[in-house]
Amino acid sequence: TGNMLADTEALQTKIFGAQKVHVAGGSWGSTLALTYAIEHPEKVASLQLWSAFLATAAEIDDMFDGNLKNPEFPFVKEHEWFLRYIADDEQHYQQLKALSGRDMIKYLASKINDTDPAVARRHAIAFEVYEYATCSPEDYNFQKIIDEETANPNIVSHGRIEITSHLNAGFMPDGYIIENIERIKDIPCTIVQGSRDWCTPEKYADI
């Protein structure tokens, strides 16, 4: 994250100099946009964000634990598919089902980074399919997501980048954005959050 912010600042300075810029980003891009604004509020004219993600431990835990405890969670079947896809047998399935959100992230990280390409690929597919599904509209086609992610030649590298970020909470202190939100209180900000987006839930966008 620190390196990405440094790169962003270098580009901003080279292209725009002292001119303020409008910064936009979604999901992880919103994390970078917010963090950049916190670090350089004098250079940001406005923030345009969607699927806001603050990279907190709570958000990451919710993906594989907290959401399932909510009776309104609409992706229970997709979570069941996810568990069955990565489970070796019924006993393993029950063990996976009992994991906390954080422990599931640790487990996925170990498997997606496995030296066995087949193991890495299977778990990367499961991770990306489930995450994709949990921010899909009501009339979405789950099988289409499975087919697309299974055919993705970059699925493992994508999965490794994302799971490593989750494992390390975005490489930032937990709660960094919320703790420093006062630094950007005078910057105009628009946030669009999907009502069925449980990957980046709207409750975390209330900043």
Side-chain angles (χ1 to χ4, degrees):
T1 301
N3 290 337
M4 290 182 181
L5 291 175
D7 289 345
T8 302
E9 169 61 3
L11 286 170
Q12 195 278 343
T13 301
K14 183 176 180 60
I15 298 172
F16 299 102
Q19 180 182 347
K20 287 189 174 184
V21 295
H22 300 281
V23 182
S27 191
W28 176 241
S30 73
T31 313
L32 292 177
L34 285 163
T35 308
Y36 180 78
I38 287 169
E39 294 296 321
H40 304 282
E42 76 285 354
K43 294 188 175 183
V44 178
S46 73
L47 289 165
Q48 311 296 325
L49 312 175
W50 61 96
S51 300
F53 178 62
L54 309 183
T56 62
E59 289 169 285
I60 295 167
D61 286 348
D62 273 356
M63 287 181 64
F64 294 100
D65 189 12
N67 287 343
L68 295 163
K69 298 173 182 176
N70 189 323
E72 297 181 359
F73 184 58
F75 300 107
V76 175
K77 291 182 179 179
E78 289 82 350
H79 184 260
E80 176 71 9
W81 173 91
F82 162 78
L83 291 177
R84 295 291 181 185
Y85 193 85
I86 62 175
D88 296 326
D89 50 38
E90 184 61 28
Q91 182 180 6
H92 189 211
Y93 163 80
Q94 294 297 335
Q95 292 171 344
L96 291 171
K97 194 174 182 179
L99 291 178
S100 67
R102 188 162 302 187
D103 285 341
M104 177 58 80
I105 290 292
K106 291 178 181 177
Y107 175 80
L108 287 172
S110 70
K111 293 299 183 180
I112 295 174
N113 286 293
D114 198 282
T115 55
D116 184 334
V119 172
R121 182 171 179 76
R122 176 159 64 102
H123 288 80
I125 289 171
F127 173 52
E128 296 296 336
V129 166
Y130 179 62
E131 185 181 58
Y132 191 170
T134 57
C135 56
S136 298
E138 192 168 357
D139 59 349
Y140 87 109
N141 186 327
F142 185 49
Q143 187 58 52
K144 182 179 179 182
I145 293 176
I146 295 172
D147 293 343
E148 287 177 350
E149 295 303 308
T150 301
N152 182 356
N154 300 311
I155 191 71
V156 174
S157 58
H158 188 183
R160 284 175 174 169
I161 292 170
E162 190 166 10
I163 200 68
T164 300
S165 176
H166 285 339
L167 185 64
N168 294 279
F171 297 96
M172 297 187 297
D174 190 30
Y176 175 80
I177 291 175
I178 292 298
E179 290 174 4
N180 292 278
I181 204 70
E182 282 294 310
R183 288 176 57 82
I184 60 174
K185 63 184 178 65
D186 295 324
I187 298 175
C189 179
T190 300
I191 301 178
V192 177
Q193 209 79 0
S195 61
R196 273 174 57 90
D197 186 348
W198 287 75
C199 180
T200 52
E202 59 182 332
K203 67 179 180 179
Y204 293 109
D206 186 14
I207 56 175

